Amino acid sequence: MLDGTTLGTLVELMVEAEVLAGSGGRLIPSRMEPDVDHRDIVVADVGGFGVLWLQVKGTSHPDSEGRIVAFANYAVDAVPESARLLYLVCLLDVEQHLLARTWLVPSADFNHLAYREHSERAGRVTLQFSCLASGDPRWDRFEVPRLELGARLKPLVAALGPARPRRSARCATGSLSSSGCLPRIVEWRQVGLDLGAQVLKCRRQRQALAEVLLRLVG
């Protein structure tokens, strides 16, 4: 019987196949391991640096009320929201081995429309996607045929453009020299070179890479 982690893994693999095939190979989806940050699949633009993340939820059947239901649990003050984060809720047809129905929901819309439940754990909240399979005005506009999933994601990735780190206010408002950013950039570069030298030194001494990195950053 498919449930829990097994079901989730299968749905994510099928989503990867749909995105890859549906985009004509222009998007490369990759499952995130380990899954610790509510981002199941990263979708990247071939030949560019555009990227977005999918939080994938799957079920194999409607509930007793005929609803497709999915849950996401977060700390109350840390519900993720970004133009680069979308939820993909999937109804899996186990017999036909395909995604029978899919809903692609931007995280801002998901956070606004999902029902909220108090979690049994203090300081946490559960967001519930609950969609009547027979038709639901709350969620119907987000439904996407599986064969169109890749094509639907392509313009989204292109519109978002490359993911860039936030610049500090100091660096964003002037030239490099006048804002004082150039010395900071030189400092960052030197830090990177120093870290690299330490890693190489420790590797020559056959120390485990994970231990080296933990010691350097911790």
Side-chain angles (χ1 to χ4, degrees), residues 125-193:
V125 63
T126 297
L127 277 60
Q128 183 189 72
F129 174 95
S130 180
C131 175
L132 278 170
S134 59
D136 194 319
R138 195 180 193 92
W139 301 105
D140 282 350
R141 68 183 184 274
F142 300 106
E143 186 167 8
V144 178
R146 66 179 179 85
L147 295 179
E148 297 179 14
L149 182 58
R152 191 72 62 92
L153 289 173
K154 281 174 62 179
L156 294 179
V157 174
L160 288 168
R164 295 185 177 92
R166 293 182 178 179
R167 295 180 297 170
S168 67
R170 187 179 181 186
C171 290
T173 57
S175 66
L176 289 175
S177 59
S178 63
S179 67
C181 286
L182 186 56
R184 186 181 303 175
I185 292 173
V186 172
E187 179 183 353
W188 289 342
R189 184 173 184 274
Q190 187 58 51
V191 169
L193 291 174

Side-chain angles (χ1 to χ4, degrees), residues 3 27 33 61 64 69 72 92 95 103 123-124 156 184 186:
D3 57 9
L27 296 178
E33 294 291 349
H61 57 274
S64 60
V69 179
L92 172 66
E95 294 184 357
W103 291 262
R124 299 190 68 84
L156 294 179
R184 186 181 303 175
V186 172

Side-chain angles (χ1 to χ4, degrees), residues 47-85:
F49 296 94
V51 64
L52 57 77
W53 289 268
L54 299 177
Q55 170 72 306
V56 179
K57 300 293 183 182
T59 183
S60 59
H61 57 274
D63 68 8
S64 60
E65 297 180 355
R67 292 180 175 272
I68 309 301
V69 179
F71 301 93
N73 183 271
Y74 303 109
V76 172
D77 59 351
V79 177
E81 183 172 315
S82 169
R84 295 186 186 276
L85 175 64

Side-chain angles (χ1 to χ4, degrees), residues 17-29 43 147 149-151 153-154:
E18 294 293 350
V19 172
L20 183 60
S23 67
R26 297 304 305 167
L27 296 178
I28 300 299
V43 180
L147 295 179
L149 182 58
L153 289 173
K154 281 174 62 179

